[in-house]
Amino acid sequence: MKYPILITIILSATASPAFADVKAATDTGFNVIHVATVNATPDEIWKRLLAPKDYWNKAHSWSGSSAGFYIDAQANGCFCELFQEADANGKLRTVGSVEHMRVIFAQPGKVLRMQGALGPLQSEAVLGTLTVAMEPVRGAAGTKVSFSYVVGGYMRYKVSEIAPAVDKVLGEQFRSMLLPFALAEADASKADGFKLDVEKMVDPEPSEPQTISENDPVNLDETDAASVEATSAEPR
């Protein structure tokens, strides 16, 4: 299913509060955040993050396939999607492409920040900034991971409708990216050596490590909206 068809579907799905993790919203923009702590190293998460073809849902593509997705993790690199078709010999050839986002900050194992208006927002006069941050948990093997997507500008959608829809879709990709890793037990200690883009986050508190499944809720962590602050992701 391609984005032009998907717009109506995701807007009609926003009535369910289970998908809502919108931390801030105004008439001209919004911020959605997803957070989880998993039993993996930042390098393992980074490697997974840079292979969107392995976790991005093809329903949220322009071509109907995620096989042509890639991220070039360097400044001015592209998070792009190739339109591919098989020729008479069955060999794939590229017949078009689309940019989802542009990389503006890349520090392996720590931060990937990209700018772009995802999905149906691409046709609007808005700027979206997605920060993916990874923070090792002190005294444990886990890593805290966050997706923070900030959107602002003029759009023909109502923020009250499009923000939960974007949150749902982005949360789905976040969950899918982390599927290979087990959720880590909560650790209240502060992480070493790096300041997350999203601070004062509450860790999940399972009684024992759990495996993320396809049927898990989109929001792996529930955070208090009043306690989440967007800050610049700079190494200490």
Side-chain angles (χ1 to χ4, degrees):
M1 184 181 297
K2 301 178 183 179
Y3 271 127
I5 302 173
L6 185 64
I7 295 172
T8 302
I9 295 175
I10 63 176
L11 289 177
S12 66
T14 59
S16 173
F19 297 131
D21 196 19
V22 179
K23 295 305 177 185
T26 69
D27 291 340
T28 58
F30 58 91
N31 176 209
V32 300
I33 296 172
H34 294 273
V35 184
T37 302
V38 295
N39 286 324
T41 66
D43 287 342
E44 289 172 327
I45 295 167
W46 181 262
K47 182 178 179 180
R48 173 77 172 169
L49 173 64
L50 298 190
K53 66 183 180 63
D54 294 335
Y55 62 83
W56 203 270
N57 189 337
K58 67 181 182 180
H60 307 305
S61 69
W62 292 99
S63 65
S65 170
S66 60
F69 276 63
Y70 69 91
I71 296 176
D72 179 14
Q74 59 181 330
N76 207 39
C78 192
F79 169 22
C80 287
E81 173 185 350
L82 302 178
F83 292 81
Q84 298 176 316
E85 292 181 357
D87 61 20
N89 298 318
K91 184 177 180 180
L92 286 178
R93 61 190 182 96
T94 298
V95 295
S97 63
V98 59
E99 177 183 295
H100 289 274
M101 309 191 88
R102 176 68 49 178
V103 176
I104 60 172
F105 188 104
Q107 192 169 13
K110 292 185 176 181
V111 169
L112 180 67
R113 179 175 288 128
M114 302 181 287
Q115 286 187 337
L118 292 170
L121 293 175
Q122 190 185 76
S123 62
E124 307 305 300
V126 299
L127 177 66
T129 302
L130 173 66
T131 299
V132 185
M134 287 142 274
E135 181 183 47
V137 178
R138 179 180 297 171
T143 299
K144 185 178 290 184
V145 189
S146 69
F147 269 29
S148 175
Y149 189 44
V150 183
V151 176
Y154 176 76
M155 68 187 84
R156 290 166 291 183
Y157 297 105
K158 292 182 179 179
V159 170
S160 61
E161 295 177 346
I162 194 66
V166 171
D167 173 65
K168 173 184 180 294
V169 172
L170 191 61
E172 178 186 345
Q173 314 320 310
F174 181 67
R175 181 188 63 201
S176 181
M177 185 192 76
L178 296 178
L179 273 176
F181 313 115
L183 287 175
E185 292 188 33
D187 187 308
S189 62
K190 196 170 183 179
D192 286 320
F194 188 71
K195 188 174 183 180
L196 268 176
D197 182 72
V198 181
E199 293 191 328
K200 299 181 181 178
M201 297 177 295
V202 178
D203 286 317
E205 297 183 354
S207 57
E208 59 184 22
Q210 301 174 355
T211 300
I212 304 170
S213 71
E214 294 284 358
N215 297 321
D216 284 343
V218 169
N219 302 318
L220 300 179
D221 277 19
E222 292 184 359
T223 56
D224 183 352
S227 70
V228 180
E229 300 176 357
T231 62
S232 61
E234 296 291 343
R236 290 173 179 170

